[in-house]
């Protein structure tokens, strides 16, 4: 087994690109679907939560866009990897590939989609949205804090992926259970709701729900041009590290039996 870091990263990046392209290979619109999904989501939620239920949120499209991009990354990364030890069995059983690398390459594929969606968001925000047009060069100093937040999002997503896919080895119903739980988690996150109303109605959920803290901090930095809430930032990093260690432990103990069980 080759542990050369450069060779390992090259292999991970190659697998990520292949994974990303294969998702849309048989679709007539191809990779365009990766960019179209957040746009259709924005249209649906805009009608529901700004036309039907007017929440009086400034720059609501940008507010909604930023939330859906991050939530979709988390949802696709977790739901899409529940059966990973089964669907990618050939990689670790016959190619002597480390199981953790399979998760990393899959999430890197999702990061490609996240990158394109973020480019679309910033293009809209700074070229069309009034909030973005009022920014000046000096206003971007807080953007450096997006780096640890996105690392947090990646780590949290892979952590839940490890936990869910390990449990799937013995409990196939975990896929349906997670669909219900992630739907509940979506409702209990300020994806479409005004943050002030969310905190007022669910004062403790911003601390208990790691995705809520991530969404709040990203919007503080991008939409409000302010520093992140450092308490939530470090709390969410703690959640991500805890679940990652839990998931990694489960992968070593349960994932080792995946080949024979699945």
């Amino acid at each position: 087994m080759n542990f050369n870091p450069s060779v390992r990263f090259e292999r991970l990046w190659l697998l990520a690109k292949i994974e990303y392209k294969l998702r849309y290979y048989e679709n007539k619109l191809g990779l365009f679907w990766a960019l179209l999904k957040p746009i259709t989501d924005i249209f649906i939620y805009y009608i529901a939560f700004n036309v039907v239920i007017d929440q009086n949120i400034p720059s609501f499209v940008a507010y909604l866009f930023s939330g859906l991009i991050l939530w979709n990354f988390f949802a696709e990364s977790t739901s899409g990897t529940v059966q990973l030890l089964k669907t990618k069995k050939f990689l670790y059983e016959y190619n002597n590939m480390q199981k953790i690398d399979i998760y990393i390459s899959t999430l890197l594929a999702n990061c490609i989609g996240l990158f394109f969606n973020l480019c679309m968001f910033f293009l809209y925000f700074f070229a069309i949205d009034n909030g973005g047009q009022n920014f000046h060069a000096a206003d971007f100093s807080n953007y450096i804090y997006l780096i640890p937040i996105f690392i947090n999002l990646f780590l949290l997503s892979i952590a839940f992926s490890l936990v869910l896919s390990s449990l799937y080895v013995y409990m196939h119903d975990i896929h349906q259970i997670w669909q219900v739980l992630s739907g509940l988690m979506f409702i209990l996150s300020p994806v479409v709701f005004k943050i002030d109303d969310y905190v007022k109605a669910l004062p403790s959920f911003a601390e208990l729900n790691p995705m809520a803290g991530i969404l709040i901090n990203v919007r503080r930095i991008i939409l409000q041009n302010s520093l992140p809430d450092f308490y939530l930032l470090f709390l969410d990093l703690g959640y991500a590290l805890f679940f990652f260690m839990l998931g990694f432990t489960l992968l070593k103990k349960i994932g080792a039996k995946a080949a024979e069980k699945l």
Side-chain angles (χ1 to χ4, degrees), residues 20 24 34-35 69 73 108-118:
Y20 185 73
Y24 308 100
L35 306 177
I69 289 174
F73 174 83
L108 283 177
N110 291 346
C111 284
I112 297 174
L114 177 64
F115 172 77
F116 285 122
N117 289 331
L118 284 172

Side-chain angles (χ1 to χ4, degrees), residues 30-48:
L31 296 178
F32 182 69
W33 278 115
L35 306 177
L36 186 62
K37 186 179 187 306
I39 296 176
T40 56
D41 287 345
I42 289 168
F43 176 77
I44 294 170
Y45 287 114
Y46 181 86
I47 297 297

Side-chain angles (χ1 to χ4, degrees), residues 51-189:
V51 176
V52 178
I53 305 174
D54 187 1
Q55 299 188 86
N56 192 28
I57 299 177
S59 301
F60 184 71
V61 172
Y63 182 91
L64 189 58
F65 202 170
S66 59
L68 286 173
I69 289 174
L70 301 181
W71 176 263
N72 285 340
F73 174 83
F74 175 76
E76 291 173 6
S77 297
T78 53
S79 298
T81 53
V82 173
Q83 301 182 45
L84 191 67
L85 291 174
K86 178 180 180 180
T87 58
K88 300 295 177 68
K89 181 179 178 180
F90 66 96
L91 285 176
Y92 64 82
E93 189 172 15
Y94 301 111
N95 294 323
N96 202 26
M97 186 176 179
Q98 295 184 63
K99 291 185 179 71
I100 190 66
D101 285 352
I102 301 173
Y103 291 88
I104 295 173
S105 63
T106 302
L107 262 73
L108 283 177
N110 291 346
C111 284
I112 297 174
L114 177 64
F115 172 77
F116 285 122
N117 289 331
L118 284 172
C119 288
M120 289 178 60
F121 167 77
F122 284 117
L123 179 64
Y124 167 80
F125 185 60
F126 291 111
I128 301 175
D129 190 87
N130 290 330
Q133 291 176 347
N134 293 329
F135 271 59
H136 303 285
D139 295 332
F140 293 97
S141 59
N142 294 330
Y143 274 50
I144 190 67
Y145 293 105
L146 289 175
I147 296 175
I149 292 175
F150 285 128
I151 292 174
N152 188 1
L153 177 63
F154 184 90
L155 188 60
L156 185 70
S157 300
I158 198 171
F160 274 81
S161 297
L162 291 170
V163 172
L164 292 168
S165 60
S166 296
L167 293 177
Y168 179 81
V169 174
Y170 288 102
M171 187 170 60
H172 289 4
D173 290 346
I174 195 65
H175 191 271
Q176 286 73 25
I177 294 172
W178 179 243
Q179 292 292 328
V180 175
L181 291 178
S182 61
L184 179 63
M185 195 174 177
F186 176 84
I187 295 299
L188 297 178
S189 298

